[in-house]
Amino acid sequence: KEEMMTAVENFVLSIFASCDKDDRTCEKIGKSQAVAWRRAGHFIDVLTVFGELTPEWEQRRKFAIYKAGTILKCLKSGEEPPRGNPFEKEEEN
């Protein structure tokens, strides 16, 4: 069971990272990014098969759903959706 959970977590993490990279680097954020973020949230939900989500996974799940909703809301109102994580602290060097 532990090996399966690790494999699924790695897969879901790769989906999440792919969404994040696309969000930060695509030419224009559109509906496809919102769909990808929502899909990432659904994949994170799959992890509940192995038990309760860790706080880190719960945070990622909430963020994915937030990003999907924010993108769609911005597109509907004609605004440019924000890129990246607006809650992320600036990296200090």
Side-chain angles (χ1 to χ4, degrees):
K1 183 178 176 178
E2 189 72 28
E3 286 179 19
M4 272 197 301
M5 185 173 102
T6 300
V8 174
E9 281 183 331
N10 287 338
F11 171 75
V12 175
L13 194 55
S14 72
I15 298 295
F16 188 90
S18 176
C19 289
D20 186 53
K21 182 180 177 186
D22 188 43
D23 183 72
R24 294 171 191 266
T25 62
C26 69
E27 190 173 314
K28 186 165 176 67
I29 295 177
K31 188 175 179 183
S32 64
Q33 282 76 26
V35 170
W37 277 116
R38 188 65 194 117
R39 189 176 298 129
H42 287 309
F43 278 123
I44 293 170
D45 288 339
V46 169
L47 294 174
T48 61
V49 166
F50 300 103
E52 200 171 310
L53 292 176
T54 64
E56 293 84 11
W57 280 113
E58 185 60 38
Q59 185 176 3
R60 286 182 186 117
R61 187 185 73 76
K62 286 179 181 177
F63 179 73
I65 293 167
Y66 164 82
K67 282 296 288 188
T70 299
I71 291 169
L72 291 175
K73 183 178 175 184
C74 286
L75 292 174
K76 188 175 184 179
S77 67
E79 298 173 39
E80 180 70 25
R83 293 182 180 265
N85 184 346
F87 308 112
E88 195 174 65
K89 294 179 183 167
E90 292 289 324
E91 287 198 21
E92 298 174 17
N93 294 335

